[in-house]
Amino acid sequence: MTALNKSIEPGDSPDLTEERASGTFDTNAMAAVIYGSDKFAQRRREISEAISKIPELADSAPLPFLDRFGKVTEGSRKLSVILENIDKLIDPSSYEEGLHLYTEVMGMEGHPLALHEVMFIPALIAQASDEQQVKWLGRARRREIIGCYAQTEMGHGSNLRALETTATYSPETQEFILHSPTITSLKWWPGALGKSANWAVVVANLIIRDKNYGPHPFMVQLRDEDSHEPLPGITVGDIGPKMAFNGGDNGFLGFRNYRIPREYLLNRHAKVEADGRYVKPPHAKINHSAMIRVRSHMATGQGALLAHALVIAVRYSAVRRQGYLEDKSREVKVLDYQTQQHRLFPSIARAYAFIFCGFETIRLYDQLLIDVQNGNTSGMADLHALTSGLKSVVTYQTGEGIEQARMACGGHGYSMASYISEIYGVAIGGCTYEGENMVMLLQLGRYLVKSIEMIQNGKSRELGPMVAYLAENESEIDLNLGPNEYLKVFEYAARNQTWRATEKFQKLRNSGMSNEKAWNQASVELTRASRLHTRLYIMSTFINHVGSIVDQKVKGVLIDLLNVHVTYEVMDIGIYVQGLLSSNQMDLIRNQLYVSLETIRPNAVSLVDSFQISDMQLRSVLGRRDGNVYENLFKWAKSSPLNKTDVLPSVTQYLKPMMEKSKL
Amino acid sequence: MTALNKSIEPGDSPDLTEERASGTFDTNAMAAVIYGSDKFAQRRREISEAISKIPELADSAPLPFLDRFGKVTEGSRKLSVILENIDKLIDPSSYEEGLHLYTEVMGMEGHPLALHEVMFIPALIAQASDEQQVKWLGRARRREIIGCYAQTEMGHGSNLRALETTATYSPETQEFILHSPTITSLKWWPGALGKSANWAVVVANLIIRDKNYGPHPFMVQLRDEDSHEPLPGITVGDIGPKMAFNGGDNGFLGFRNYRIPREYLLNRHAKVEADGRYVKPPHAKINHSAMIRVRSHMATGQGALLAHALVIAVRYSAVRRQGYLEDKSREVKVLDYQTQQHRLFPSIARAYAFIFCGFETIRLYDQLLIDVQNGNTSGMADLHALTSGLKSVVTYQTGEGIEQARMACGGHGYSMASYISEIYGVAIGGCTYEGENMVMLLQLGRYLVKSIEMIQNGKSRELGPMVAYLAENESEIDLNLGPNEYLKVFEYAARNQTWRATEKFQKLRNSGMSNEKAWNQASVELTRASRLHTRLYIMSTFINHVGSIVDQKVKGVLIDLLNVHVTYEVMDIGIYVQGLLSSNQMDLIRNQLYVSLETIRPNAVSLVDSFQISDMQLRSVLGRRDGNVYENLFKWAKSSPLNKTDVLPSVTQYLKPMMEKSKL
């Protein structure tokens, strides 16, 4: 009989094989659920297989052994190998296949084209006129130029109104003069800006005859296309090492009265005529959807990062033995400890939940695009608010889960051989970029307050489907009826907290306080409402997605995982449901959680195997598919740079003289 | 009039000076409270001043710009400069002055003598006989040799019983034969073992005539004292890069039938006679106190790391401006946002609480040493349990607080220029080393269960003072009476949870389950009891310490900070006090928390200034005393290694050909 788990191979650690043999579902079938279709799951495996056949695509050394020069060089080197082989590897027209290829080969530490495809080209598509696209889009797509998107400044992130870079129109020469008036106006952080890009879309305040028309996008050449040297008037460089992404060259950029032709204002929406006349864009607020798109994809991306860390921690926990339970003759797998299960299994549930939630959100986004094309923009605000909260909750919980996964690996988790701290650095960046989490939560908060105000004004029926529960009454909870009852508990919590926070804000405002001050004093309570609302949405999409699954074995284990999820999440927000659940009901949920941890235990390894993250992509000695951790940990360490010689020059230069001197 | 805040200087950021001018207490007086005496606080300032006068003690480049070779070399270089100048800098007999000197000059990334003073020498003192001390202790103290302490193995951390390294006695030659029988038996992780140490205290199973006497400490020479080459039979090296401490050379060590003389068993407690007769130690369990000592100091050390991150985040939050409140003409300091205050101020309170708690625990430890010398070891178990829990709670909350501090700095927090991610890496290691946190919590859990059993057996009066509350009844809470009422709330929570967890364990065991299985199934609930018990202790020592302060202005602001603490902590454990506090009382506490955040706001910068961490020690562009962040961020970035040339070799080698090819 073939095992249902497809990751078993001869020579594997028997501890892992034992786990895999106990799995109750087909891991390929689960992968099809995780990646949206059996076909794409299959393609992923084929692409990974094809990659493994090209030795030049492998890391030339474990990435943690490289300094920044090494990482940046490695990214460029592999990029050239990818481009040489791309037709053999993927269907270049498939975004998903490309993503899988880049993720696997490049890893997560950054590379020179990272922003070219994701930010630069989309910005050209969205903001360049048809004429301008003819001029630049083809060049960008053929990679004749490397571009980036320069908006954030050293002193200015979330608040676009405060950007300082200016683009002053000079009617005499029909040019814009780009200028950075202060240090804080330097562009700061844009990916690939520092060393790689020779062109950029730059956001600057458009000034015509001393009047500021606000931030506009300009196409700007930064470096000579032959020498790659920065052009006169341009100051550009790398912003230095970061918590992660050190293979990437996030950069700074300053202008000293740098002139560009009038035609370089990206003028799909707004234009400046030769005489300096400003032609307004037909619609304001046209550009919300780009943010929604990026944030929708973040749920899936962060879910994948959490999954990545969990593959490592769960496999390692089945190999690592420590301490004794009943059998005193052999140490027990640490995965058998309840504390370990409680650290890891609710995070497995969240990883699945985030990925499913990403699907649903992207579906809503695609629907929105259709609606907008049909002239219906009513859903824009709803989805913008939702994705703001989602981005915030998912990034925070992902970071939390990854760190717990790392700590669950004990001492070796702390070694870069686990690679989990690198994954953490990458994931936790998401709490800050694409909108700082507190700012995001308060954007959703504003939407929730508006929804309550609609209810207060008798307009409950106009509420969107995702906030309709705010107008409902609480109902009796019968926990025996399954996950949907837990959803009601979350609705109660989110509704109660939203009303509480809104009423606090309104009361302060009504007491004569300014709107801004009242908002600020209610803001912590508002962020709590936003988190609960978002977590309700995540749980709801998880439940719905599991309900739609056809394969009964896969569905069975996902229902078990859902039971971990709903019990854990409700316990986690226990303080918000005191008015609803009795202490007996809370005890019941708590016990259910512990039972569900035991239920999922035999499938734990199969659940993480199903993510089908290859060893190449994992880059983790602890997480290897074969579970042969210890001998490879030794190999890894022996090959690390400090071990090239037995005696370090610094010992000869400093420590030996110190010891000699003492002997005199 | 001179400002009470002593950190004001001409040329500072006006935003910071404004904050400092509003402080209501003398920061030197607060530093005296933080560092235990005005005299030592003054010495710290003098030492920092003296260090700043020796340019060779400064970092030769910002540490994040160095690779591991650079960091290791930098540590050795500075060590030699320190030793040349030590008499000018500190009183070498003062442990505290030495610690301050090393912390400031070396930073936190590790150096070759880090373990020599803290582990190797104390191990010789505790375990070498008087004769052996004559032989080795002087050499160690004069730094003629560099030592480390090698206990942990690749496959074995917390469970000492499972160590695999053997030291087999050979009566013929009167030698021990050290051997590493497996890969998992390699010593792994010991600090300074990889490249620096030439001697080690090695823990191995003592085998005499096939009988295993368990782990014993041996003095072992690893490297030739002249050539520094590893001796034949020794395999030694660096374990590779880690999440932090990359200036340190944590190492691996294997033995191939490596012989050492019989006299190299450290025999203060146990001995092997020439004929192989084993002489038992007079007392078992003699060595608990070393662990207690290390863990007691961890509370202070972690408090200092949390403080370190908060100095950076609070100062930067007073300089960084973003968004608007009422005044639309100028962006507001981000420190004025309630969400930012809620992120940072409860952590300031915790940093103070941990430091005070460290004092109290070290006092208890010193008392214990006196008691033990007088033959009374009864307090050993109590303090061992307490410090196990303390280590766990303090390291976890410190890590949490540091990460929130980093995120509170927005994008620039993610740059290594903030240095906060390095502080995080260092601090969070504490969750794992010196006893993994879950294991630690369960050690305390065992003690708590025993305490409950004493109560159940009618022996309440024999309970130690720290667990007496477990036998008490709950009382009415009148929150208006101040912090001690909050303490009662915590007592209620800890008592309730401890009883609940114990009863769960007992019920399972009584149902016929084995002791181990019942313990495992109750373990998550037990860890919760341990955390609550520990947090109660922290709050209680904070309250007592503030009560003992004489300076009225200092005491006043610490009472404000205590109000942040007690309200925040009780809200944080709200789910455990549902049976005690009414929903009105919870609302009251919540509102008190928000009020207390506003109350502490004008003193926030002065509270972090009071830690008196010099710019050299901070190593953070964002946290600079003068607040001149932006110009220095630009300087820092421009000097980073990737900016040495405008065009990277990797661009010339890979990216330019890619772009050229496309143009054809």
Side-chain angles (χ1 to χ4, degrees):
Chain A
M1 201 195 95
T2 338
L4 293 166
N5 184 314
K6 304 305 178 197
S7 297
I8 301 178
E9 287 183 25
D12 288 356
S13 151
D15 283 335
L16 267 184
T17 303
E18 176 187 53
E19 296 291 331
R20 286 169 174 148
S22 75
T24 63
F25 63 94
D26 183 323
T27 52
N28 279 352
M30 185 65 88
V33 169
I34 293 171
Y35 295 107
S37 72
D38 188 47
K39 193 179 154 207
F40 180 58
Q42 177 64 26
R43 279 296 294 147
R44 283 183 86 261
R45 294 189 290 271
E46 288 164 5
I47 294 167
S48 296
E49 178 73 17
I51 291 170
S52 72
K53 300 251 162 77
I54 302 176
E56 296 80 21
L57 287 176
D59 298 348
S60 49
L63 299 184
F65 295 176
L66 304 179
D67 66 5
R68 286 200 69 209
F69 277 107
K71 288 181 182 187
V72 169
T73 304
E74 180 74 353
S76 300
R77 182 189 71 76
K78 286 196 285 196
L79 185 65
S80 72
V81 184
I82 285 182
L83 294 176
E84 272 166 35
N85 293 281
I86 197 149
D87 295 329
K88 278 190 271 179
L89 293 164
I90 59 165
D91 168 3
S93 72
S94 161
Y95 169 79
E96 285 75 16
E97 292 195 13
L99 186 64
H100 178 57
L101 170 65
Y102 273 84
T103 307
E104 181 141 329
V105 175
M106 289 295 184
M108 47 182 81
E109 303 190 29
H111 65 84
L113 285 189
L115 279 291
H116 182 83
E117 314 279 349
V118 183
M119 296 282 284
F120 180 64
I121 290 178
L124 287 180
I125 292 172
Q127 313 205 22
S129 66
D130 294 346
E131 253 174 276
Q132 290 176 322
Q133 292 194 4
V134 170
K135 196 163 166 185
W136 292 313
L137 198 53
R139 296 197 73 202
R141 283 195 167 131
R142 288 190 304 274
R143 302 184 191 86
E144 283 179 30
I145 56 174
I146 300 178
C148 66
Y149 184 82
Q151 177 175 299
T152 302
E153 296 177 357
M154 187 198 270
H156 314 283
S158 302
N159 182 17
L160 272 190
R161 276 169 61 189
L163 290 180
E164 295 179 80
T165 305
T166 52
T168 307
Y169 185 61
S170 153
E172 297 75 31
T173 58
Q174 295 199 28
E175 289 170 319
F176 294 105
I177 304 166
L178 288 165
H179 193 60
S180 311
T182 59
I183 285 189
T184 47
S185 76
L186 289 168
K187 295 294 173 187
W188 204 270
W189 279 109
L193 166 61
K195 295 287 164 183
S196 307
N198 52 8
W199 284 79
V201 171
V202 173
V203 178
N205 286 296
L206 170 61
I207 314 278
I208 310 174
R209 292 193 198 93
D210 295 334
K211 184 176 169 189
N212 187 342
Y213 288 83
H216 283 70
F218 298 84
M219 182 74 167
V220 182
Q221 184 172 358
L222 307 177
R223 290 171 179 268
D224 182 271
E225 287 193 19
D226 288 326
S227 69
H228 204 69
E229 294 284 345
L231 294 170
I234 299 276
T235 304
V236 67
D238 178 272
I239 62 162
K242 298 141 290 184
M243 189 168 177
F245 295 110
N246 281 308
D249 55 322
N250 302 70
F252 59 78
L253 171 62
F255 300 104
R256 210 176 49 252
N257 296 316
Y258 183 74
R259 288 170 177 264
I260 55 172
R262 180 172 64 95
E263 296 75 23
Y264 282 30
L265 166 66
L266 293 182
N267 56 22
R268 183 159 214 85
H269 306 299
K271 230 184 275 190
V272 175
E273 301 290 0
D275 61 359
R277 203 158 35 89
Y278 180 70
V279 184
K280 261 196 290 196
H283 308 289
K285 277 201 184 183
I286 203 89
N287 198 24
H288 245 22
S289 67
M291 281 191 293
I292 297 175
R293 180 180 59 84
V294 171
R295 289 178 197 153
S296 303
H297 281 276
M298 274 181 85
T300 320
Q302 292 271 324
L305 290 170
L306 180 53
H308 201 122
L310 288 164
V311 173
I312 299 166
V314 172
R315 285 182 183 163
Y316 179 65
S317 298
V319 171
R320 178 74 176 183
R321 289 173 176 272
Q322 187 167 287
Y324 310 95
L325 284 174
E326 280 152 323
D327 179 358
K328 302 293 182 226
S329 71
R330 189 169 188 199
E331 290 193 295
V332 74
K333 292 176 176 178
V334 295
L335 197 56
D336 287 327
Y337 290 111
Q338 190 190 53
T339 49
Q340 190 82 344
Q341 295 170 8
H342 190 255
R343 266 186 153 165
L344 296 173
F345 297 172
S347 283
I348 299 181
R350 282 182 175 175
Y352 276 86
F354 296 162
I355 289 169
F356 296 158
C357 193
F359 287 161
E360 171 63 10
T361 313
I362 290 164
R363 196 189 62 76
L364 292 176
Y365 172 72
D366 290 341
Q367 184 58 48
L368 175 73
L369 286 189
I370 296 168
D371 292 349
V372 168
Q373 280 185 329
N374 295 333
N376 172 11
T377 58
S378 67
M380 183 85 89
D382 294 33
L383 197 58
H384 180 244
L386 177 76
T387 52
S388 300
L390 189 62
K391 180 266 181 204
S392 174
V393 168
V394 164
T395 53
Y396 183 76
Q397 292 187 346
T398 292
E400 204 181 16
I402 294 172
E403 269 299 75
Q404 284 297 319
R406 186 184 59 72
M407 290 186 218
C409 297
H412 298 323
Y414 195 77
S415 164
M416 290 301 298
S418 82
Y419 208 59
I420 302 182
S421 61
E422 190 69 39
I423 303 168
Y424 176 70
V426 168
I428 204 71
C431 290
T432 306
Y433 66 70
E434 293 302 326
E436 198 279 328
N437 275 359
M438 290 293 165
V439 177
M440 290 298 96
L441 289 171
L442 289 173
Q443 281 187 5
L444 173 54
R446 211 165 286 276
Y447 172 79
L448 292 175
V449 168
K450 277 190 197 155
S451 302
I452 297 289
E453 286 170 347
M454 284 170 70
I455 300 168
Q456 289 169 329
N457 297 328
K459 297 181 182 169
S460 302
R461 287 193 307 179
E462 296 172 29
L463 291 171
M466 277 183 257
V467 280
Y469 74 95
L470 291 174
E472 284 166 19
N473 294 317
E474 63 198 75
S475 53
E476 281 287 300
I477 303 294
D478 182 352
L479 294 170
N480 296 316
L481 295 178
N484 278 311
E485 295 294 298
Y486 287 83
L487 212 53
K488 284 194 206 159
V489 176
F490 251 92
E491 283 182 355
Y492 169 88
R495 179 168 53 235
N496 242 22
Q497 180 61 22
T498 303
W499 277 91
R500 173 209 290 278
T502 306
E503 283 166 356
K504 177 173 182 179
F505 165 61
Q506 292 175 333
K507 206 173 133 194
L508 289 168
R509 204 182 40 185
N510 296 343
S511 75
M513 205 177 269
S514 73
N515 199 57
E516 292 82 0
K517 205 170 166 189
W519 182 261
N520 189 28
Q521 291 200 8
S523 58
V524 171
E525 292 297 320
L526 287 161
T527 59
R528 290 183 170 148
S530 296
R531 283 192 202 95
L532 289 166
H533 175 78
T534 306
R535 293 173 70 173
L536 166 64
Y537 171 73
I538 294 169
M539 185 182 283
S540 148
T541 56
F542 193 4
I543 292 172
N544 289 339
H545 202 85
V546 171
S548 73
I549 287 168
V550 181
D551 183 309
Q552 285 306 305
K553 285 177 175 169
V554 165
K555 187 171 187 165
V557 70
L558 284 179
I559 288 172
D560 293 340
L561 197 60
L562 195 52
N563 284 329
V564 173
H565 189 69
V566 297
T567 50
Y568 181 86
E569 302 295 329
V570 166
M571 287 303 299
D572 196 48
I573 59 149
I575 192 169
Y576 296 100
V577 296
Q578 297 185 27
L580 181 72
L581 296 179
S582 69
S583 126
N584 277 348
Q585 283 176 306
M586 287 301 279
D587 287 348
L588 180 74
I589 298 174
R590 190 182 289 110
N591 288 333
Q592 274 305 112
L593 169 58
Y594 295 128
V595 170
S596 71
L597 295 177
E598 288 190 56
T599 307
I600 211 75
R601 166 73 186 83
N603 274 317
V605 169
S606 291
L607 277 167
V608 298
D609 283 342
S610 300
F611 292 116
Q612 302 193 331
I613 304 179
S614 71
D615 278 356
M616 177 176 186
Q617 190 182 339
L618 274 182
R619 294 177 164 81
S620 170
V621 179
L622 303 194
R624 296 167 60 93
R625 188 206 52 73
D626 66 12
N628 295 323
V629 169
Y630 293 118
E631 53 269 54
N632 286 291
L633 190 56
F634 191 30
K635 265 189 212 161
W636 185 88
K638 278 190 292 189
S639 70
S640 83
L642 244 52
N643 291 325
K644 275 184 194 153
T645 57
D646 271 323
V647 182
L648 290 182
S650 59
V651 171
T652 314
Q653 189 178 357
Y654 298 112
L655 299 186
K656 282 194 60 197
M658 174 190 83
M659 292 189 274
E660 295 302 328
K661 204 170 158 187
S662 306
K663 287 181 192 165
L664 300 181
Chain B
M1 206 194 94
T2 338
L4 291 167
N5 185 312
K6 304 304 178 194
S7 298
I8 301 178
E9 288 183 26
D12 289 356
S13 150
D15 283 336
L16 267 183
T17 303
E18 175 187 53
E19 296 291 331
R20 286 167 174 151
S22 75
T24 63
F25 63 93
D26 182 323
T27 51
N28 279 352
M30 185 66 88
V33 169
I34 293 171
Y35 295 107
S37 71
D38 187 48
K39 194 181 154 202
F40 181 57
Q42 176 64 26
R43 280 298 293 148
R44 285 182 85 260
R45 294 190 290 270
E46 288 164 4
I47 294 167
S48 296
E49 176 73 16
I51 292 169
S52 73
K53 299 250 163 77
I54 302 176
E56 297 79 24
L57 289 175
D59 299 350
S60 49
L63 299 184
F65 295 176
L66 304 178
D67 67 4
R68 285 200 70 210
F69 278 107
K71 287 181 183 188
V72 169
T73 304
E74 180 74 353
S76 301
R77 183 189 69 76
K78 285 197 283 195
L79 186 65
S80 72
V81 183
I82 285 182
L83 294 176
E84 272 167 39
N85 293 279
I86 198 150
D87 294 328
K88 276 190 271 177
L89 292 165
I90 58 164
D91 166 6
S93 72
S94 161
Y95 169 80
E96 284 77 16
E97 291 195 15
L99 185 65
H100 179 57
L101 169 65
Y102 274 84
T103 308
E104 180 140 330
V105 175
M106 290 295 185
M108 47 181 81
E109 302 191 29
H111 64 84
L113 285 190
L115 278 293
H116 183 82
E117 314 279 349
V118 183
M119 296 281 284
F120 181 64
I121 289 179
L124 287 180
I125 292 172
Q127 314 206 25
S129 67
D130 293 347
E131 256 174 276
Q132 290 176 322
Q133 292 194 5
V134 170
K135 198 166 166 181
W136 292 314
L137 197 53
R139 294 197 76 202
R141 284 195 167 134
R142 288 190 303 274
R143 302 184 190 88
E144 284 180 30
I145 57 175
I146 299 177
C148 67
Y149 184 82
Q151 175 175 299
T152 302
E153 295 177 356
M154 187 198 270
H156 314 283
S158 301
N159 182 17
L160 272 189
R161 278 169 61 189
L163 289 180
E164 294 180 82
T165 304
T166 51
T168 307
Y169 185 62
S170 154
E172 299 74 33
T173 58
Q174 297 200 28
E175 289 171 320
F176 294 105
I177 304 166
L178 288 166
H179 192 61
S180 311
T182 59
I183 285 188
T184 47
S185 76
L186 289 169
K187 296 295 173 189
W188 205 268
W189 277 109
L193 166 61
K195 294 288 163 182
S196 307
N198 51 9
W199 285 80
V201 171
V202 172
V203 178
N205 285 297
L206 170 60
I207 314 278
I208 310 173
R209 294 192 196 92
D210 294 334
K211 182 173 169 190
N212 187 343
Y213 289 83
H216 283 70
F218 298 85
M219 182 73 169
V220 182
Q221 184 173 357
L222 307 177
R223 291 172 179 268
D224 182 89
E225 287 193 19
D226 287 327
S227 71
H228 205 71
E229 292 285 344
L231 294 170
I234 298 278
T235 304
V236 66
D238 178 272
I239 63 164
K242 298 142 292 185
M243 189 170 177
F245 295 109
N246 281 310
D249 55 321
N250 300 72
F252 59 77
L253 170 63
F255 300 103
R256 209 174 53 251
N257 296 317
Y258 182 75
R259 289 170 177 262
I260 55 172
R262 179 173 64 95
E263 296 76 22
Y264 282 30
L265 166 67
L266 292 183
N267 56 22
R268 181 159 216 88
H269 306 299
K271 232 184 272 193
V272 175
E273 302 289 359
D275 61 358
R277 201 157 40 88
Y278 180 71
V279 184
K280 262 198 287 196
H283 310 288
K285 279 203 182 178
I286 202 87
N287 199 23
H288 247 21
S289 66
M291 281 193 292
I292 297 176
R293 181 179 59 83
V294 172
R295 288 177 198 155
S296 302
H297 281 276
M298 277 181 81
T300 319
Q302 292 271 324
L305 290 170
L306 181 52
H308 201 122
L310 289 164
V311 173
I312 300 166
V314 172
R315 284 182 184 163
Y316 179 64
S317 298
V319 171
R320 178 73 175 184
R321 290 173 174 272
Q322 188 167 286
Y324 310 94
L325 284 174
E326 280 153 322
D327 179 357
K328 301 294 184 227
S329 71
R330 189 170 187 196
E331 289 193 295
V332 75
K333 293 176 176 177
V334 295
L335 196 55
D336 287 326
Y337 289 111
Q338 189 191 52
T339 48
Q340 189 82 345
Q341 295 170 9
H342 191 256
R343 268 185 151 167
L344 296 173
F345 297 170
S347 283
I348 300 180
R350 282 182 176 175
Y352 275 86
F354 296 163
I355 290 169
F356 296 156
C357 193
F359 288 160
E360 171 63 11
T361 313
I362 290 165
R363 195 188 63 75
L364 292 175
Y365 172 72
D366 290 340
Q367 183 59 49
L368 176 73
L369 286 190
I370 295 169
D371 292 350
V372 168
Q373 280 184 329
N374 296 332
N376 172 11
T377 58
S378 67
M380 184 85 89
D382 293 33
L383 197 57
H384 180 244
L386 177 75
T387 53
S388 300
L390 189 61
K391 181 266 183 205
S392 173
V393 169
V394 164
T395 52
Y396 183 76
Q397 292 188 344
T398 293
E400 204 182 17
I402 294 173
E403 270 298 74
Q404 285 298 319
R406 186 184 59 71
M407 291 186 219
C409 297
H412 297 324
Y414 194 78
S415 164
M416 289 301 297
S418 82
Y419 207 60
I420 302 182
S421 61
E422 189 70 39
I423 303 169
Y424 176 71
V426 168
I428 205 73
C431 290
T432 305
Y433 66 70
E434 294 300 326
E436 199 278 328
N437 276 358
M438 289 295 166
V439 177
M440 291 298 96
L441 289 170
L442 289 173
Q443 281 187 3
L444 173 55
R446 211 166 286 275
Y447 172 79
L448 292 175
V449 168
K450 277 189 196 157
S451 302
I452 296 289
E453 285 169 348
M454 284 170 70
I455 300 169
Q456 289 169 329
N457 296 327
K459 297 180 182 169
S460 302
R461 285 192 309 176
E462 296 172 28
L463 291 171
M466 278 183 258
V467 280
Y469 75 95
L470 291 174
E472 285 166 16
N473 293 317
E474 63 199 73
S475 53
E476 281 287 303
I477 302 293
D478 181 353
L479 294 169
N480 295 315
L481 296 177
N484 278 309
E485 296 295 298
Y486 287 84
L487 212 55
K488 284 194 205 160
V489 177
F490 251 92
E491 283 183 358
Y492 169 88
R495 179 168 52 234
N496 240 25
Q497 179 61 22
T498 303
W499 278 92
R500 171 209 291 277
T502 306
E503 284 167 353
K504 177 173 183 181
F505 165 61
Q506 292 174 333
K507 206 173 136 194
L508 290 167
R509 202 181 42 184
N510 296 344
S511 75
M513 202 177 271
S514 72
N515 199 59
E516 293 81 358
K517 206 170 166 190
W519 182 261
N520 190 28
Q521 290 200 9
S523 59
V524 170
E525 293 295 323
L526 285 161
T527 59
R528 290 182 172 152
S530 297
R531 282 193 203 96
L532 288 167
H533 174 78
T534 306
R535 293 174 71 173
L536 166 63
Y537 171 73
I538 294 169
M539 186 182 282
S540 147
T541 55
F542 193 5
I543 292 173
N544 289 338
H545 201 85
V546 171
S548 72
I549 286 168
V550 180
D551 183 310
Q552 285 308 306
K553 284 178 177 169
V554 165
K555 187 171 188 165
V557 70
L558 285 178
I559 288 172
D560 292 341
L561 196 61
L562 195 53
N563 284 329
V564 173
H565 189 69
V566 296
T567 50
Y568 182 86
E569 301 296 327
V570 166
M571 287 303 300
D572 196 48
I573 60 149
I575 192 167
Y576 296 99
V577 296
Q578 296 186 28
L580 181 72
L581 296 179
S582 68
S583 126
N584 277 347
Q585 284 176 306
M586 287 299 279
D587 287 348
L588 180 73
I589 297 173
R590 189 182 290 110
N591 287 333
Q592 274 305 110
L593 169 58
Y594 295 129
V595 170
S596 72
L597 295 178
E598 288 191 55
T599 307
I600 212 75
R601 166 72 185 83
N603 274 316
V605 168
S606 292
L607 278 166
V608 298
D609 282 342
S610 300
F611 292 116
Q612 301 194 332
I613 305 178
S614 70
D615 278 357
M616 177 176 188
Q617 190 183 338
L618 274 182
R619 291 177 167 82
S620 170
V621 179
L622 303 194
R624 297 168 59 92
R625 187 204 53 72
D626 66 12
N628 295 322
V629 168
Y630 293 117
E631 53 269 53
N632 285 291
L633 189 58
F634 190 31
K635 267 189 210 161
W636 185 87
K638 277 191 292 188
S639 71
S640 85
L642 244 52
N643 291 325
K644 276 184 194 151
T645 56
D646 272 324
V647 183
L648 290 182
S650 59
V651 171
T652 313
Q653 190 176 357
Y654 298 112
L655 299 187
K656 281 194 60 195
M658 174 190 86
M659 292 188 275
E660 295 301 328
K661 205 171 160 187
S662 305
K663 287 182 192 166
L664 300 179

